[in-house]
Amino acid sequence: MLCLAHMKSSEIRQRFLKFFEKRGHAVIPSSPLVPENDPTTLFTGSGMQPMVPYLLGESHPLGTRIADSQKSFRTVDIDEVGDNRHTTFFEMLGNWSLGDYFKKEQIEWMFQFLTEEIKIDPNKLYVTAFMGDDKNSIPKDIESAGLWKKLFAQRGIEAKEIEIGSEENGYQVGMQGGRIFFYDAKKNWWSRAGVPEKMPAGEPGGPDSEMFYEFTDVPHDEKFGKFCHPNCDCGRFLEIGNNVFMEYKKNSDGTFSKLPKNNVDFGGGLERLVMAATNCPDIIRVNYQPIIEYIESACGKKYGEKSDETRAFRIIADHMKASVFLIADGVIPSNADQGYYVRRLLRRAVRFSDFLDIDKSILSEVVDSIALMYKDSYPEVYAKSSSIKNIIAEEENRFRETLSKGLKEFEKGTDAFTLFSSYGFPLELTLELAKEKGLNIDIDEFKKEFKKHQDLSRSGAEKKFKGGLADTSEMSVKYHTATHLLHQALHDVLGEGIMQKGSNITPERLRFDFSHGAKMTGDEIKKVEYIVNQKIKENLPVNKIVLPTAEAEKTGARHFFGEKYGDQVSVYYIGKDIQSAYAKEFCGGPHVENIGNLGTFKIQKEEAVSQGVRRIKAVLQ
Ligand code: ATP
Ligand code: MG
């Protein structure tokens, strides 16, 4: 299939930003891929992520209408790469109304942008809306549906509304000639916690309305379900954007009420908009052409001919672009944190180039074509390209030295930890090889060895909290427990809108950073101190429980939004049992056994660290 890029991504990006600028939006630059001042999450995975404080009520210095194109990296999508529409790195176009305009403007502008500005055929557009939630008395979003219906009618399209319900039901009932589809909260509801049931009191959320493009040349694949529908994963329908309408808040009695001010959050994948604007059902073909050509010349194979080779091309192309952008934002391949992901991407790219019979180092050469593609839109990538090349070349050469030996060891049945420590195989690479061969890998054994030998945990709160502790002296441990009390007390006094941004503990004091729009008043500080000291007087016990992550989330224990945890996490709770506990958090410890001897808690300082982030320094006297 040949795809002609009538409109390249740089043009669509520019048109989008201009379109919203003309409509009163301040255009802001992309935040880095590694969040600034936010040690709680590894990567920026959406345009919304850096905007969360403002969506929760903090005022944005540039006003109530904002637009941008945000570099995004999603580790969760790594296994999707190879299909026709997922990449780990992509740009997300976004626009926001912070208590300003709402559904009418947003939906009309979106329709106009898609059909007039980038000339997508409206006959190929489909939309979804929230079907309502009887249990929680949240009504069906007929307002959004009505707005879409009118816009389609203006283009001579009668937009029939179809009630689908769950995604699973979609496969049973199919399209039924519909244009506007109503889905349940799993598909068309947004809150930080997920569906309405999962939301804690005070949390905002709302329905969303998504837009899909239909590739009429891509036949439905029954492997995914009997009938196709917009949320089917076969590749015929492409989600191009999502309009979130934040209009509700959960009350403490579990009911929902309207927020005093509504927000709009739109996020749409730039590369997917290019696909729709060019009617090209292949995200790589239409956005990664120079990389594909380079790989073709290196291996003498043609992209698009054999499906397993095409998958390898796609993986290499994605992983290389993602690595280039991550390295440009300061991430260096390593065995921990963000660096681990770059290492994993690069080594995986090497393995798939091996699959294409490329036996010489070529990955660093690909950097030039990527840098050139983004010369105008991301000049810093271009400027840094020679040092990026060096970093990639070193990583590639090192891994190539051991790759073939490692593959032989794998065939012999060598354990995952040895493959990791002696041959540089990230665990996920071994798991993937095992899956291809239908073998099982003992992950627990790997983890045990991994811990024993290096004690490098690359994800989860455990490390983050340990990172916050200067040592594990008795005083540091006391301050650590006091930090949990403080965290909860801040929620009690300032509301559920605040979020932990970091913590640092020494035997002399605790330091705690959190998002909050305003300086705390003297009264608020006193209240927080009072609550913490009251709890200390109650001499509550501190307990730990290890649970599967999904179970742990259900306990309502605090954890970092967007953070990916392992299969099991430990939850520390302060109280007799987990239900009635005063404070609970995903945490690796250590903590005191009872809080009665913490002393008297005193806040010494409350100050700003950056826009919307406050810092508390406190002591136990
Ligand atoms: P999908 O179901 O296709 O994975 P999503 O529900 O994960 O999409 P959102 O989290 O709503 O997507 O992100 C907003 C938009 O970002 C999507 O509408 C899509 O256009 C784009 N997007 C999301 N994930 C990717 C990806 N892996 N590659 C390219 N674009 C993406
Ligand atoms: Mg997704």
Side-chain angles (χ1 to χ4, degrees):
M1 190 172 312
L2 245 170
C3 290
L4 295 172
H6 310 285
M7 227 185 273
K8 291 202 308 276
S9 65
S10 54
E11 190 182 340
I12 293 187
R13 185 196 303 111
Q14 204 185 356
R15 278 178 188 254
F16 178 86
L17 298 176
K18 271 256 141 28
F19 184 91
F20 280 98
E21 194 173 29
K22 273 196 210 145
R23 286 157 184 80
H25 291 65
V27 173
I28 59 170
S30 173
S31 294
L33 285 167
V34 176
E36 281 169 322
N37 302 317
D38 183 0
T40 61
T41 164
L42 290 176
F43 298 107
T44 306
S46 68
M48 175 193 267
Q49 207 171 301
M51 292 295 293
V52 163
Y54 310 108
L55 291 165
L56 295 178
E58 190 180 307
S59 78
H60 195 289
L62 296 176
T64 55
R65 296 182 179 202
I66 309 290
D68 72 7
S69 178
Q70 174 64 48
K71 297 179 276 188
S72 303
F73 177 68
R74 292 190 174 182
T75 57
V76 287
D77 282 347
I78 195 162
D79 293 324
E80 315 285 335
V81 178
D83 72 2
N84 73 340
R85 63 193 184 285
H86 286 93
T87 50
T88 56
F89 171 85
F90 59 97
E91 282 180 70
M92 198 184 287
L93 300 178
N95 73 276
W96 291 271
S97 158
L98 304 169
D100 191 324
Y101 58 85
F102 204 42
K103 292 180 188 174
K104 183 171 177 346
E105 292 84 346
Q106 180 64 15
I107 288 177
E108 287 178 2
W109 287 341
M110 271 301 140
F111 195 79
Q112 189 185 355
F113 175 74
L114 295 176
T115 61
E116 291 171 30
E117 200 67 33
I118 63 171
K119 305 217 165 12
I120 292 177
D121 178 356
N123 288 291
K124 296 195 171 178
L125 281 180
Y126 292 80
V127 298
T128 62
F130 181 50
M131 68 180 279
D133 177 349
D134 292 344
K135 269 201 314 290
N136 289 298
S137 306
I138 306 169
K140 179 172 174 174
D141 188 8
I142 47 172
E143 188 185 353
S144 295
L147 288 161
W148 289 118
K149 203 177 178 79
K150 212 167 118 199
L151 291 161
F152 278 113
Q154 283 168 8
R155 303 295 293 266
I157 298 166
E158 196 204 325
K160 196 170 150 194
E161 295 173 31
I162 298 289
E163 192 83 30
I164 291 249
S166 67
E167 180 180 353
E168 296 71 36
N169 192 47
Y171 294 107
Q172 306 302 314
V173 297
M175 297 293 289
Q176 303 164 71
R179 176 79 50 186
I180 301 168
F181 295 83
F182 292 98
Y183 284 91
D184 63 14
K186 264 196 186 157
K187 281 283 152 198
N188 284 80
W189 177 266
W190 180 87
S191 85
R192 289 186 298 168
V195 295
E197 287 79 51
K198 284 201 173 168
M199 292 165 63
E203 188 70 14
D208 60 30
S209 182
E210 302 190 323
M211 303 171 298
F212 292 80
Y213 180 83
E214 183 184 27
F215 292 107
T216 47
D217 293 336
V218 175
H220 171 61
D221 183 347
E222 286 198 19
K223 190 173 89 199
F224 294 87
K226 190 155 185 340
F227 296 111
C228 201
H229 61 113
N231 275 309
C232 170
D233 286 327
C234 75
R236 183 178 173 92
F237 285 95
L238 174 76
E239 183 191 322
I240 51 178
N242 188 355
N243 304 287
V244 175
F245 299 117
M246 260 172 76
E247 59 178 322
Y248 295 101
K249 190 182 99 179
K250 191 164 185 172
N251 303 316
S252 45
D253 64 1
T255 60
F256 283 79
S257 54
K258 289 261 185 171
L259 285 167
K261 276 185 175 179
N262 297 322
N263 296 323
V264 175
D265 159 81
F266 166 74
L270 173 62
E271 294 79 359
R272 290 195 182 179
L273 287 164
V274 178
M275 293 168 73
T278 56
N279 190 38
C280 176
D282 181 344
I283 194 164
I284 301 293
R285 166 85 77 196
V286 77
N287 292 289
Y288 292 68
Q289 193 57 28
I291 311 177
I292 293 301
E293 280 168 19
Y294 190 87
I295 305 170
E296 281 180 332
S297 70
C299 68
K301 297 180 166 59
K302 276 263 162 255
Y303 177 76
E305 268 179 7
K306 292 190 182 151
S307 68
D308 54 350
E309 287 174 3
T310 298
R311 177 164 178 265
F313 270 93
R314 287 176 171 170
I315 290 171
I316 300 168
D318 168 71
H319 289 10
M320 289 314 299
K321 200 203 264 189
S323 298
V324 166
F325 273 86
L326 286 165
I327 296 170
D329 273 355
V331 186
I332 304 290
S334 74
N335 276 343
D337 295 334
Q338 285 94 346
Y340 182 85
Y341 286 93
V342 178
R343 171 154 289 169
R344 188 173 151 198
L345 290 169
L346 288 172
R347 296 193 171 186
R348 197 162 182 253
V350 174
R351 179 168 91 82
F352 279 95
S353 71
D354 187 71
F355 179 82
L356 291 175
D357 298 325
I358 300 172
D359 54 7
K360 58 181 193 318
S361 295
I362 59 140
L363 296 189
S364 63
E365 301 301 320
V366 180
V367 176
D368 288 331
S369 49
I370 297 170
L372 213 54
M373 283 163 74
Y374 288 96
K375 190 170 178 216
D376 296 327
S377 36
Y378 293 97
E380 70 278 11
V381 174
Y382 188 78
K384 289 181 191 166
S385 61
S386 73
S387 70
I388 296 174
K389 261 172 104 157
N390 290 339
I391 292 167
I392 291 180
E394 197 189 314
E395 187 69 15
E396 178 176 19
N397 293 336
R398 212 183 320 162
F399 188 53
R400 274 190 192 278
E401 274 170 26
T402 56
L403 174 66
S404 57
K405 268 190 250 153
L407 286 171
K408 281 197 196 103
E409 290 295 317
F410 173 82
E411 298 286 341
K412 280 194 238 160
T414 301
D415 69 285
F417 186 74
T418 307
L419 288 171
F420 169 76
S421 58
S422 308
Y423 301 94
F425 280 36
L427 172 64
E428 293 78 5
L429 191 64
T430 303
L431 292 177
E432 204 171 298
L433 288 166
K435 203 170 154 200
E436 285 168 16
K437 300 249 183 278
L439 300 171
N440 271 329
I441 297 288
D442 190 341
I443 299 180
D444 290 341
E445 182 62 29
F446 176 90
K447 287 196 175 148
K448 230 167 65 198
E449 288 299 313
F450 190 75
K451 242 194 142 40
K452 214 159 71 194
H453 288 257
Q454 296 190 275
D455 203 33
L456 279 174
S457 118
R458 67 183 167 75
S459 80
E462 208 148 318
K463 174 160 197 301
K464 293 283 170 293
F465 272 96
K466 277 202 189 115
L469 256 61
D471 55 46
T472 48
S473 65
E474 190 188 331
M475 265 329 281
S476 288
V477 174
K478 281 187 177 173
Y479 275 119
H480 188 199
T481 307
T483 301
H484 280 220
L485 290 169
L486 167 65
H487 189 188
Q488 181 56 39
L490 285 168
H491 277 271
D492 294 348
V493 174
L494 302 175
E496 285 302 315
I498 71 145
M499 238 194 299
Q500 172 169 357
K501 289 286 183 186
S503 99
N504 178 289
I505 291 160
T506 69
E508 287 77 38
R509 54 114 183 96
L510 68 81
R511 202 178 80 194
F512 187 76
D513 296 350
F514 59 102
S515 58
H516 183 53
K519 185 167 177 57
M520 284 176 73
T521 63
D523 197 39
E524 286 167 341
I525 291 176
K526 280 211 191 79
K527 272 191 195 146
V528 169
E529 285 177 340
Y530 176 79
I531 294 174
V532 173
N533 286 317
Q534 274 307 111
K535 294 294 158 192
I536 292 174
K537 275 192 201 136
E538 286 175 34
N539 190 19
L540 297 170
V542 184
N543 289 300
K544 173 184 158 173
I545 180 171
V546 177
L547 291 169
T549 307
E551 291 296 309
E553 280 170 3
K554 279 189 210 143
T555 67
R558 298 196 183 284
H559 54 282
F560 292 132
F561 171 57
E563 177 87 17
K564 292 289 156 207
Y565 292 94
D567 301 338
Q568 302 256 333
V569 290
S570 56
V571 174
Y572 273 87
Y573 59 94
I574 304 177
K576 289 197 184 62
D577 55 69
I578 193 153
Q579 280 79 26
S580 68
Y582 174 64
K584 34 193 155 170
E585 289 190 18
F586 285 25
C587 177
H591 284 283
V592 301
E593 281 177 18
N594 293 291
I595 61 176
N597 62 353
L598 288 184
T600 305
F601 175 82
K602 177 118 192 65
I603 293 178
Q604 290 195 315
K605 209 169 186 181
E606 192 273 349
E607 60 188 351
V609 214
S610 64
Q611 175 74 33
V613 180
R614 311 294 307 177
R615 170 168 292 173
I616 281 181
K617 284 189 185 147
V619 290
L620 293 167
Q621 291 169 336

